[in-house]
Amino acid sequence: MRILISNDDGIHAAGLRPLEQALSALGEVWVVAPEREQSAQSHALTMHKPLRIRRKEPRWYSVSGTPADCVYVALHHLLDQAPAIVVSGINRGANLGNDVLYSGTVAAAMEATLHGVPAVAVSLYVEWGTGERDHSWDTAAQVALKVAQRVVNDGLPPRVLLNVNVPDRPAHELSGVRNASMGVRHYEAQVDERRDPRGRRYYWIGGRHERFEAIKDSDGPLIEQGYATVTPIRADMTSYAALKAMKPWG
Amino acid sequence: MRILISNDDGIHAAGLRPLEQALSALGEVWVVAPEREQSAQSHALTMHKPLRIRRKEPRWYSVSGTPADCVYVALHHLLDQAPAIVVSGINRGANLGNDVLYSGTVAAAMEATLHGVPAVAVSLYVEWGTGERDHSWDTAAQVALKVAQRVVNDGLPPRVLLNVNVPDRPAHELSGVRNASMGVRHYEAQVDERRDPRGRRYYWIGGRHERFEAIKDSDGPLIEQGYATVTPIRADMTSYAALKAMKPWG
């Protein structure tokens, strides 16, 4: 059985090896990941320029593109047979609430889902400004294995993936694993205006995490209570409630 | 009343002026659009490099970033008051079915939605390989005005935007305007391997449109029947059906 791993932190990211090691319990692991970090690339596909593919070692490849590119190339070109599952991660940084809409980690999993392959995205909820080596990658890897095992055994509904977030702490300090909805996360709104050495203005955008809305059984509040969360995400973004309420057009 | 327009085809795209002209019936239009084409950039936010902003003419700005960057900068920095609505488009090329997951046009609207501003994405369903000047931009602009007018009057449910697709034909040849779900679109899977002049391999990914699944009242089949479609899109991607059916974790 083939298992495909991708990510959006890139082929050199610290989260790849622990995930590879854990998932090798299930079958033969292939890794196809971006050459460079692609965070907040969301679901981009590279159509306007050609891609390069590099083989690093047996079953490890880097692609000069986005996470979605990696999965596309893996499924349609690199792998010698279709994977039973695609697991994206372990991302350094959570994908909670509306983070999902920007997430390259989730996009890699979504690309697999759109091609009919069951998929899981896995992210570690780390504090800002901490180094890579201090993190509890193994905790996330163990949760990923547990979730992947169930997906391989039971399958997933069509066009649904699982988005997993794990607190950055030793496994014995987890409160548990909980199913959760995608909640609402608020960031400070910030546009930071600066001047370059020639006096011209430039801007940094994006502020710090502010809070999670207190929505019962949603991902953010649960992870703050020490739970790993598992959220089923639909490819179909239709609001059927809104659709039902909409008036016809003249 | 302020109306903000953005797009992902860039500040020079042919779809901007017809939309600006139509929406000026509602209020004062501002345009904040990417410097360059950003198609298939999805919901990327530019965090890793600074942005430049250029004022082209009164209330017209370009940003050296993505569609979501443009809306972010407009809402938090450029506009002197919050817009009543954000309209993204008119995109040259449809955003039907799972296109929505890759779409910079929809991402610009989603960015507004996440900041509590009602938003509409508008795309023109053009045939591949046709020139820009031949298109029925005015048809899409008139549908956009109609939809925007209703949104301004009636509002939208929280965290829901409208994704509008319009056939590329004169207005009197439209079959009408219909509410629709986000359907399923299939493309040919293609990885095209080539060799550069030095003999090294490179790859183009992505194939042609194949078909829309025949899902009743979904966007693709309706547009093929000549209807403009209006699809309510949720920011909340939770599959509540899957969540309900999921077993708890040990």
Side-chain angles (χ1 to χ4, degrees):
Chain A
M1 187 170 84
R2 301 278 179 282
I3 294 128
L4 173 64
I5 294 178
S6 193
N7 74 358
D8 86 334
D9 287 343
I11 193 85
H12 301 294
L16 275 180
R17 290 282 178 195
L19 186 60
E20 180 199 27
Q21 204 174 349
L23 296 182
S24 64
L26 292 181
E28 185 181 280
V29 177
W30 290 58
V31 175
V32 183
E35 233 172 60
R36 295 189 297 176
E37 188 190 323
Q38 297 284 329
S39 293
Q41 274 306 301
S42 185
H43 203 162
L45 269 190
T46 303
M47 308 290 219
H48 59 288
K49 61 178 187 188
L51 299 174
R52 300 282 186 173
I53 303 173
R54 286 191 184 79
R55 184 170 172 278
K56 302 281 185 184
E57 58 186 85
R59 302 190 299 279
W60 274 69
Y61 294 85
S62 72
V63 174
S64 62
T66 67
D69 292 339
C70 291
V71 170
Y72 193 100
V73 162
L75 297 184
H76 299 304
H77 185 74
L78 291 174
L79 266 69
D80 57 348
Q81 58 175 252
I85 187 171
V86 172
V87 182
S88 175
I90 303 167
N91 192 62
R92 188 180 174 280
N95 283 299
L96 294 160
N98 31 284
D99 293 346
V100 166
L101 294 160
Y102 302 89
S103 167
T105 306
V106 175
M110 183 62 82
E111 189 64 29
T113 303
L114 294 178
H115 289 95
V117 179
V120 177
V122 186
S123 306
L124 195 66
Y125 182 50
V126 304
E127 300 292 318
W128 279 31
T130 54
E132 278 199 0
R133 296 190 178 278
D134 307 311
H135 299 313
S136 298
W137 298 112
D138 286 341
T139 307
Q142 289 316 310
V143 174
L145 173 60
K146 190 171 182 165
V147 174
Q149 180 75 69
R150 187 189 281 184
V151 168
V152 168
N153 289 345
D154 300 356
L156 280 175
R159 299 171 70 74
V160 170
L161 63 84
L162 298 181
N163 181 38
V164 176
N165 284 279
V166 182
D168 184 16
R169 55 175 74 174
H172 67 270
E173 292 179 17
L174 276 191
S175 306
V177 181
R178 290 273 296 269
N179 298 319
S181 65
M182 174 184 147
V184 178
R185 185 173 195 175
H186 292 281
Y187 290 90
E188 292 168 16
Q190 190 176 323
V191 176
D192 184 358
E193 181 179 304
R194 302 188 183 185
R195 298 230 183 207
D196 70 19
R198 286 176 295 162
R200 291 165 58 200
R201 290 183 180 85
Y202 66 95
Y203 302 86
W204 291 101
I205 65 169
R208 280 165 177 266
H209 167 76
E210 203 173 72
R211 66 189 174 85
F212 297 109
E213 282 191 19
I215 299 167
K216 191 170 175 301
D217 297 331
S218 70
D219 49 9
L222 283 171
I223 209 162
E224 284 188 325
Q225 294 164 43
Y227 290 98
T229 59
V230 182
T231 300
I233 296 289
R234 293 195 327 203
D236 180 1
M237 295 181 74
T238 311
S239 169
Y240 288 96
L243 185 56
K244 204 172 162 188
M246 280 165 73
K247 294 178 290 192
W249 301 86
Chain B
M1 188 171 85
R2 300 281 178 279
I3 294 128
L4 173 64
I5 293 178
S6 193
N7 75 356
D8 87 333
D9 287 342
I11 193 84
H12 301 294
L16 275 180
R17 291 282 177 193
L19 186 60
E20 181 200 27
Q21 203 173 349
L23 296 181
S24 63
L26 292 180
E28 186 182 280
V29 177
W30 291 60
V31 174
V32 183
E35 233 171 60
R36 293 191 297 177
E37 189 190 324
Q38 297 282 329
S39 293
Q41 275 304 301
S42 185
H43 204 161
L45 269 189
T46 304
M47 309 291 218
H48 59 287
K49 60 178 186 186
L51 299 174
R52 300 281 186 174
I53 304 174
R54 285 190 185 81
R55 184 170 172 279
K56 302 282 186 182
E57 57 186 86
R59 302 190 298 278
W60 274 68
Y61 296 85
S62 72
V63 174
S64 61
T66 67
D69 292 339
C70 291
V71 170
Y72 193 100
V73 162
L75 297 184
H76 300 304
H77 185 75
L78 290 174
L79 265 69
D80 57 348
Q81 58 175 251
I85 187 170
V86 172
V87 182
S88 175
I90 302 166
N91 193 62
R92 188 180 174 282
N95 283 298
L96 293 160
N98 30 286
D99 293 345
V100 166
L101 295 159
Y102 302 89
S103 167
T105 306
V106 175
M110 183 61 82
E111 189 64 28
T113 303
L114 294 178
H115 290 94
V117 178
V120 177
V122 186
S123 306
L124 194 66
Y125 182 51
V126 305
E127 300 293 317
W128 280 31
T130 54
E132 277 199 1
R133 297 189 178 279
D134 307 312
H135 299 314
S136 298
W137 298 112
D138 286 341
T139 307
Q142 289 315 309
V143 174
L145 173 60
K146 191 170 182 169
V147 173
Q149 179 76 68
R150 186 188 281 184
V151 167
V152 168
N153 289 344
D154 300 355
L156 281 175
R159 299 171 69 75
V160 170
L161 63 85
L162 298 182
N163 181 38
V164 176
N165 284 281
V166 182
D168 184 18
R169 53 175 75 173
H172 67 271
E173 292 179 17
L174 276 190
S175 306
V177 182
R178 290 273 296 270
N179 297 320
S181 65
M182 174 184 147
V184 178
R185 186 173 194 174
H186 293 281
Y187 290 90
E188 290 167 17
Q190 189 176 323
V191 176
D192 183 358
E193 180 179 306
R194 302 188 183 186
R195 297 229 182 207
D196 70 18
R198 286 176 294 160
R200 291 165 58 201
R201 289 182 181 85
Y202 65 95
Y203 302 86
W204 291 102
I205 64 169
R208 280 165 176 264
H209 167 75
E210 203 172 72
R211 65 188 174 87
F212 298 109
E213 282 190 18
I215 299 166
K216 192 171 175 301
D217 297 331
S218 70
D219 49 10
L222 284 171
I223 208 162
E224 285 188 326
Q225 294 165 42
Y227 290 98
T229 59
V230 182
T231 300
I233 296 289
R234 291 192 333 200
D236 180 1
M237 294 180 74
T238 311
S239 170
Y240 288 96
L243 184 57
K244 204 173 163 187
M246 280 166 72
K247 293 179 290 190
W249 301 87

